Amino acid sequence: YRQEKTPLNAAKLRLSVLNVVIDLCEKHTVSATVPDARVSSEEYVKKVMRYINEHISEKITLDSLADLCGVTKYHLDREVKRCIGQTLFTYINTVRCKKAEQCIRQGMTVTQAAGECGFDSVSYFSKTYKKLMGYTPSGGRRFPGRDDVKKTV
């Protein structure tokens, strides 16, 4: 290369260097198996869902759930939506509303149920409950199987 500085000799030298690098990569790298990303995602989605169900009365943030799994909150929310068909935020509110419905059936007031299920505001709870469940939390007549509802004959 130093004797004749032609473009052809420079290309030959680059090709030789590239062949050495390829040879080094093929013969001297450790092949690591990469775990299936979907399996991993499904596992941490299950972990998050278990955590939510066990800590539904507490304040749950997207950041804390993402930290629990070691991923970003955006990635976690995408994976939850892919796995269960709804956002993490909607899932949390649905679980809270279902628990509140159980609490109301057991005799708690709407205010008590809202507080017990992690809602900071009764107004927000009522709006969210109506949106997700299809009826207001005080609409006890609509609870199937509720014992204290007067039956008309």
Side-chain angles (χ1 to χ4, degrees):
Y1 172 73
R2 289 186 181 157
Q3 293 173 354
E4 296 180 39
K5 295 182 180 180
T6 64
L8 181 59
N9 284 341
K12 286 180 183 178
L13 178 62
R14 287 187 190 116
L15 180 60
S16 296
V17 170
L18 184 58
N19 282 329
V20 169
V21 170
I22 290 171
D23 187 51
L24 286 170
C25 289
E26 288 177 344
K27 294 181 180 175
H28 302 287
T29 56
V30 177
S31 63
T33 58
V34 178
D36 183 12
R38 289 187 185 262
V39 172
S40 175
S41 294
E42 289 170 4
E43 287 303 315
Y44 63 71
V45 168
K46 287 177 188 175
K47 183 178 184 178
V48 163
M49 292 172 78
R50 272 192 306 274
Y51 180 88
I52 290 168
N53 286 310
E54 292 169 3
H55 298 89
I56 200 65
S57 300
E58 302 168 16
K59 181 175 180 164
I60 300 173
T61 65
L62 206 53
D63 288 323
S64 66
L65 293 173
D67 288 344
L68 180 70
C69 297
V71 296
T72 67
K73 62 184 177 181
Y74 307 107
H75 180 71
L76 179 62
D77 199 38
R78 256 192 323 270
E79 289 303 309
V80 167
K81 186 163 186 167
R82 183 184 63 77
C83 289
I84 66 172
Q86 59 185 324
T87 65
L88 198 48
F89 183 71
T90 302
Y91 177 76
I92 291 169
N93 280 336
T94 302
V95 171
R96 285 183 168 157
C97 287
K98 287 179 181 178
K99 182 175 180 190
E101 184 175 56
Q102 291 173 345
C103 291
I104 293 169
R105 283 183 183 183
Q106 293 171 355
M108 282 190 187
T109 66
V110 172
T111 303
Q112 290 169 330
E116 179 70 23
C117 297
F119 286 97
D120 294 332
S121 157
V122 176
S123 172
Y124 177 71
F125 164 66
S126 294
K127 288 176 190 173
T128 303
Y129 190 97
K130 170 103 169 117
K131 179 181 175 185
L132 295 174
M133 304 300 277
Y135 47 89
T136 63
S138 58
R141 295 185 304 280
R142 296 188 181 105
F143 288 157
R146 185 157 174 181
D147 297 334
D148 63 342
V149 177
K150 293 182 183 177
K151 295 181 182 178
T152 56
V153 182

